[in-house]
Amino acid sequence: MKFVKAILFIAITAGLVYVLDKPWAPAPALGPFLSPYCGLWQNSEKVIDPKTRITLQLDSLRDEVTIRFDDSGVPHIFAKNDFDLFYAQGYITAKDRLWQMDLQTRAAAGRLSEILGPATLALDQQSRRLGMGYGAEANLKVAMTDVRSREALLGYTAGVNAFIRRLAPKDYPIEFKLLGYKPEPWKPINTMYMLEQMTLTLAGRSNELAMTNALKKYGQETIAQLFPDYPMLQESPIIPSGTPWNFPKLPVPKAIPPMMPSDSIALSAKPLTALPPRAPKEEGIGSNNWAVGAEKSITGYPILANDPHLELSLPSIWYQVQLHSPDVNVYGVSLPGIPSVIIGFNERVAWGVTNVDADVFDLYKIKFKNEYRNFYWHDNQWKPTHKREEIIHVKGQLRPYREQIMYTHHGPVTDSDGTFGDLPNLAIKWIGHEPGNSFITFYELNKAKTYDDYRKALTHYVGPAQNFVFADNEKNIALTVNGKMPLKYKEQGKFVLDGSKPADDWHGWIPAEQNPFVKNPPRGFVSSANQSSADTTYPYYINWSFAPSERAIRINERLQAMTNANADSLRMLQNDNFSVLARTLLPKLLGILETRSLTPKQKAAHILLSNWNYQNSPESIAASIFETWFPLLGQAIWNDDFASPDAPMEYPSRDRTLYLILKQPNEKWFDNVNTPEKETLPDLVYQSFNASLDTLTARKGAMSPQWQWSKVKDTEIRHLSRSIKPFNAPPLVTGGGSSIVNAMTKRKGPSWRMVVELGPTPRAYGIYPGGQSGNPGSPYYLNLLKKWEKGELNELIFLTSPDQKVPHLASSLVLQKR
């Protein structure tokens, strides 16, 4: 009997060893992951004693580098040359964010399937079919020809790899252990992939197919009425109305009528395989930046603020750092994987960015000569295509996936493999393929001293187009709508373009010096919130659709009234929860409801809304009702006309919807064509109001504190993996909303808040949700979250020397040449 038990025990043990040592894709072998010697237990970290001074000897350094850490975990890097400066930045960023860098690079390069298996093959195909690799290679070629960007890329790469070489398997970031793979050496092209990914995030939106489907159904006249090129109700453009355009204007290409769609061009419910599946554009989400001039500032110098609104994630998309060498001393946030500071300040200047949303992503209908697709028709002749073979290695599969992507002069052609027979061949022309060296813009901004330096730095920038706000110690403030923007005829790219006509090609570029900009305007401030770049007098076409105007209107109202401003004044504006949308619309809606007989439940909601101060504060129940009601009203107006499972269509904008409600209450669009009755605006207002109460009741029960806005909006910050819930942030209590200055929605919001008081000694404040470290076992993973949630800022420690004595400094790390 004992012998049988021994055999059984040995068998069970052997089975466990086999199971635990075998990877079960996409999960790794659990044995090594759970091992106390090399598994997850090795990833816990402690706060380092402030007196700690560590010295490391590393390859490739040219001289000694000193890194001081403050008590938030932010590195302050002091180097004696630029190569070592970016080397140290690469080393220390990899120390805190290596898996984030690896994951985002793989996503851009179309290499997720190497570590995650077949589940991500479609995502990898999208990246390849968009030509992300093509764009990264083109940009790397340009960057390596400039001595400054070449040195930065090589230095940063050497630093990342110096850190990777020091890692034993037990030291790998926990996500590498969870997924059962090891870090690979960093390459300069990885930085270009990171830039491509950001360009796609901010400039990779396409609604041409949905607009073309709408054009097919309703015709040009109706579409022109429902989709105007400039807001009909209200707007407060980035460059103030009336700003003169004092430059010699280029001839604008002659507008041509849109290509009328045939049955074959209607997009079915199946998505384009080269385009990431996208929900309808989330209105109001974007970013804010502004600067007040010396005359509005209590300090007598300008004050600048910036809060980019992006997807909230752990770790943050941003990484705080100070970079100091003989000719630069700059503090701000970088993007992990990219050398330099992207948003920040130095001793003399400060700058920040918001997205322009320029139309730099167009679709062209392509006619091929035959099924081999070796030639396409353009300018009355057959022109050769060229092929790019994409090879995707898939974890768990012996053979890689191979695909040949066809390229025209417009760009790569999607759906040319016949996967969806009901779709045309569509080429994608977008700014991510345009060779350039945008890095030099940030390199020069980091070292800028004057307004002229700022303007010169912007000339190198390609994309994605950004609104660069600026302030300096010479008491200048400025804002430039900046990027490499194509010269187009009006509405070019609003619909699918004809790939055979040269008239539909991009016609060169708007000169950089003629991009919309303003310096020291009479009103004493500059600002942007992703709204229209300029009024209708600007001579060039940038786009027909921008973010709704409410955030910009609120910002400009408060800045106009502001006097004796300080950093806290601008911080409070960043956290402003006032709803201009509710102020504009709610009195009209409540007036309509007062003509109806209301139930007790409806009366209670009506009273709450009537007494509401239009603040989307966390505890507001009225905010929850309104924010649920207005989208349902919009759906009630437009769903019967624009919802189409066979050929999805773009819906008219928020501005157009407001104009319809407030100025055209008798329009036909209020009637539901799917019912025998003729509905009116009051009918839809009442029905959608009742539906909003039913929706909240279904989600949260009867009206109670569970209806508070923070609980209905339910902002959450997830780990980059999206699936490892223990690594997510705890539940948050936040106000704001999509049309609010504090643009906080469920998963998007202020990814970095910064305020800089210029002057002889700059004082700056900033914070992002989470912390410096990407390691969930680190005390610097969530240490900034609570202050960010409350809308508070940390003072940013701006050192002038590595041995400077100031509060809140912690440990030191010295890197020496081996």
Side-chain angles (χ1 to χ4, degrees):
M1 186 66 182
K2 291 182 179 180
F3 179 76
V4 173
K5 287 183 178 179
I7 293 295
L8 183 61
F9 176 78
I10 291 171
I12 292 173
T13 302
L16 280 173
V17 169
Y18 173 79
V19 169
L20 292 175
D21 199 50
K22 179 179 175 61
W24 302 90
L30 290 178
F33 177 67
L34 297 174
S35 166
Y37 304 106
C38 63
L40 80 162
W41 316 105
Q42 297 292 327
N43 290 98
S44 63
E45 295 180 8
K46 297 179 180 179
V47 175
I48 300 176
D49 189 309
K51 298 179 181 178
T52 301
R53 180 181 173 90
I54 298 173
T55 300
L56 299 176
Q57 293 187 336
L58 302 174
D59 294 330
S60 304
L61 271 174
R62 297 175 183 175
D63 213 322
E64 184 174 279
V65 178
T66 299
I67 305 173
R68 299 295 307 275
F69 295 91
D70 62 35
D71 56 7
S72 292
V74 176
H76 304 258
I77 301 172
F78 291 83
K80 297 173 183 176
N81 58 76
D82 279 356
F83 180 90
D84 287 351
L85 184 70
F86 294 123
Y87 180 108
Q89 185 184 8
Y91 182 94
I92 211 67
T93 306
K95 174 182 174 295
D96 283 332
R97 302 290 187 88
L98 182 61
W99 186 73
Q100 177 185 19
M101 294 163 64
D102 180 90
L103 179 75
Q104 292 178 336
T105 300
R106 287 180 180 276
R111 295 182 55 214
L112 289 172
S113 299
E114 294 178 14
I115 60 171
L116 297 174
T120 54
L121 178 59
L123 292 176
D124 288 342
Q125 289 173 312
Q126 288 165 1
S127 296
R128 306 298 182 100
R129 292 169 179 173
L130 276 168
M132 299 285 276
Y134 176 92
E137 291 162 11
N139 280 280
L140 179 64
K141 186 176 181 180
V142 176
M144 295 302 279
T145 63
D146 186 294
V147 65
R148 297 166 297 175
S149 50
R150 176 184 174 86
E151 184 171 56
L153 287 170
L154 294 179
Y156 194 91
T157 297
V160 174
N161 288 331
F163 175 76
I164 292 174
R165 285 195 298 270
R166 292 182 58 84
L167 289 177
K170 68 180 181 62
D171 302 317
Y172 290 168
I174 193 168
E175 294 90 350
F176 286 98
K177 297 176 183 180
L178 276 168
L179 295 171
Y181 76 109
K182 64 181 182 179
E184 62 182 18
W186 189 262
K187 300 175 183 177
I189 197 169
N190 289 10
T191 293
M192 298 299 127
Y193 273 120
M194 298 292 290
L195 288 168
E196 282 288 297
Q197 187 70 16
M198 182 55 66
T199 301
L200 179 64
T201 298
L202 296 175
R205 187 174 62 87
S206 172
N207 56 4
E208 289 98 311
L209 281 161
M211 285 298 300
T212 300
N213 286 339
L215 177 66
K216 176 184 176 182
K217 180 173 181 178
Y218 289 110
Q220 293 185 48
E221 184 177 350
T222 298
I223 292 303
Q225 293 172 359
L226 293 182
F227 297 91
D229 295 331
Y230 194 78
M232 298 176 65
L233 186 67
Q234 53 187 3
E235 182 59 290
S236 185
I238 290 172
I239 307 305
S241 294
T243 299
W245 311 112
N246 298 320
F247 47 72
K249 303 171 184 64
L250 296 181
V252 176
K254 183 180 179 181
I256 61 175
M259 178 179 61
M260 291 307 294
S262 62
D263 290 339
S264 65
I265 204 170
L267 174 62
S268 73
K270 305 167 187 173
L272 277 174
T273 56
L275 301 181
R278 297 179 184 275
K281 184 180 179 183
E282 189 172 6
E283 292 187 328
I285 278 296
S287 306
N288 306 319
N289 64 18
W290 59 80
V292 297
E295 65 273 24
K296 282 184 169 286
S297 165
I298 199 170
T299 67
Y301 285 87
I303 309 175
L304 180 144
N306 191 194
D307 55 303
H309 307 144
L310 295 165
E311 181 124 3
L312 301 176
S313 64
L314 289 172
S316 168
I317 189 174
W318 303 106
Y319 182 76
Q320 287 187 63
V321 68
Q322 181 179 358
L323 302 175
H324 185 289
S325 73
D327 62 348
V328 67
N329 187 13
V330 63
Y331 189 117
V333 285
S334 62
L335 289 166
I338 301 174
S340 77
V341 165
I342 303 299
I343 298 171
F345 67 96
N346 60 32
E347 306 100 316
R348 305 280 294 276
V349 310
W351 74 96
V353 297
T354 66
N355 195 33
V356 172
D357 206 8
D359 186 6
V360 289
F361 192 107
D362 289 336
L363 301 180
Y364 287 84
K365 184 180 180 182
I366 300 299
K367 177 183 177 182
F368 286 118
K369 187 174 184 179
N370 52 42
E371 68 272 20
Y372 301 107
R373 306 188 299 279
N374 293 325
F375 295 90
Y376 68 104
W377 187 250
H378 178 261
D379 195 16
N380 295 315
Q381 58 185 303
W382 293 109
K383 294 185 176 181
T385 59
H386 69 274
K387 299 178 182 178
R388 179 183 172 98
E389 185 174 41
E390 299 288 354
I391 303 173
I392 304 175
H393 296 276
V394 182
K395 183 178 181 179
Q397 296 187 1
L398 294 178
R399 294 182 179 179
Y401 173 86
R402 295 175 179 268
E403 181 177 357
Q404 288 192 336
I405 309 296
M406 312 300 299
Y407 279 74
T408 68
H409 78 285
H410 299 296
V413 180
T414 183
D415 295 304
S416 58
D417 58 2
T419 302
F420 300 130
D422 56 343
L423 290 171
N425 295 300
L426 295 171
I428 301 169
K429 173 78 171 179
W430 73 295
I431 198 65
H433 290 170
E434 183 62 24
N437 195 359
S438 296
F439 166 78
I440 294 298
T441 290
F442 300 105
Y443 179 91
E444 292 188 354
L445 282 174
N446 285 193
K447 301 186 178 190
K449 294 180 174 63
T450 66
Y451 170 82
D452 289 341
D453 293 341
Y454 152 78
R455 289 287 293 173
K456 177 177 175 293
L458 299 190
T459 62
H460 305 287
Y461 192 73
V462 176
Q466 298 289 291
N467 302 301
F468 283 82
V469 69
F470 172 84
D472 67 18
N473 274 355
E474 295 177 0
K475 303 185 179 180
N476 294 305
I477 59 172
L479 200 150
T480 305
V481 180
N482 190 66
K484 196 168 185 180
M485 292 184 282
L487 186 64
K488 292 183 169 186
Y489 61 77
K490 187 177 180 181
E491 294 191 343
Q492 184 177 348
K494 191 171 185 176
F495 309 95
V496 173
L497 296 166
D498 189 338
S500 69
K501 294 181 178 179
D504 272 355
D505 288 0
W506 290 3
H507 303 278
W509 306 94
I510 298 172
E513 67 276 9
Q514 297 185 17
N515 286 339
F517 74 96
V518 64
K519 177 186 180 184
N520 298 328
R523 65 185 185 179
F525 67 89
V526 294
S527 72
S528 75
N530 313 107
Q531 76 272 37
S532 299
S533 298
D535 64 19
T536 54
T537 65
Y538 182 67
Y540 305 121
Y541 175 75
I542 296 177
N543 203 348
W544 67 275
S545 174
F546 296 90
S549 60
E550 289 90 5
R551 279 186 296 122
I553 289 170
R554 178 61 174 173
I555 290 167
N556 290 346
E557 286 177 352
R558 289 198 56 181
L559 292 178
Q560 188 72 53
M562 195 174 288
T563 59
N564 294 322
N566 60 16
D568 205 47
S569 308
L570 302 196
R571 177 193 68 83
M572 292 172 66
L573 178 50
Q574 288 177 335
N575 287 278
D576 187 284
N577 286 325
F578 185 82
S579 174
V580 171
L581 177 62
R583 182 183 68 184
T584 303
L585 181 63
L586 190 55
K588 172 77 170 182
L589 302 185
L590 292 178
I592 291 174
L593 285 184
E594 288 167 0
T595 66
R596 297 287 179 125
S597 177
L598 302 179
T599 66
K601 175 181 175 181
Q602 293 167 343
K603 286 180 181 178
H606 184 278
I607 292 171
L608 275 175
L609 290 169
S610 298
N611 295 326
W612 183 33
N613 59 3
Y614 305 139
Q615 293 285 342
N616 275 26
S617 54
E619 67 279 2
S620 174
I621 293 176
S624 297
I625 298 171
F626 178 76
E627 293 286 352
T628 306
W629 183 10
F630 180 62
L632 290 174
L633 176 57
Q635 293 169 25
I637 296 170
W638 301 118
N639 272 359
D640 60 312
D641 302 298
F642 287 88
S644 173
D646 297 324
M649 291 181 282
E650 187 81 354
Y651 279 39
S653 70
R654 172 187 292 166
D655 176 84
R656 188 64 184 87
T657 302
L658 290 175
Y659 191 87
L660 189 73
I661 294 170
L662 297 174
K663 304 292 186 181
Q664 299 174 315
N666 299 316
E667 279 286 302
K668 66 175 184 179
W669 302 104
F670 294 114
D671 178 40
N672 186 342
V673 298
N674 297 321
T675 66
E677 300 81 16
K678 184 177 181 180
E679 287 82 6
T680 63
L681 171 60
D683 294 330
L684 300 191
V685 167
Y686 178 78
Q687 292 169 13
S688 58
F689 174 66
N690 197 43
S692 69
L693 301 183
D694 289 344
T695 299
L696 288 169
T697 301
R699 287 183 56 196
K700 299 292 184 179
M703 188 186 294
S704 72
Q706 289 300 311
W707 283 33
Q708 290 179 355
W709 178 226
S710 65
K711 297 177 181 179
V712 171
K713 179 164 60 67
D714 192 26
T715 297
E716 63 178 6
I717 305 180
R718 299 184 296 177
H719 181 257
L720 276 172
S721 67
R722 305 289 180 88
S723 59
I724 311 176
K725 290 186 177 180
F727 293 173
N728 294 352
L732 299 170
V733 178
T734 63
S738 65
S739 64
I740 309 298
V741 177
N742 180 24
M744 194 92 67
T745 61
K746 184 173 179 63
R747 295 198 178 100
K748 295 180 181 179
S751 59
W752 164 245
R753 295 192 188 105
M754 180 186 76
V755 178
V756 183
E757 293 182 339
L758 275 298
T761 301
R763 296 192 66 180
Y765 308 84
I767 203 164
Y768 48 58
Q772 285 291 101
S773 178
N775 176 14
S778 167
Y780 302 110
Y781 183 67
L782 287 174
N783 59 309
L784 304 178
L785 181 62
K786 279 298 176 185
K787 290 190 75 171
W788 175 87
E789 182 183 11
K790 295 175 183 177
E792 300 174 359
L793 302 177
N794 281 338
E795 183 164 4
L796 305 180
I797 300 172
F798 187 60
L799 301 178
T800 56
S801 68
D803 54 359
Q804 185 178 348
K805 304 296 184 184
V806 298
H808 305 295
L809 282 182
S811 59
S812 300
L813 174 63
V814 178
L815 307 181
Q816 294 179 340
K817 180 180 178 181
R818 189 190 298 275

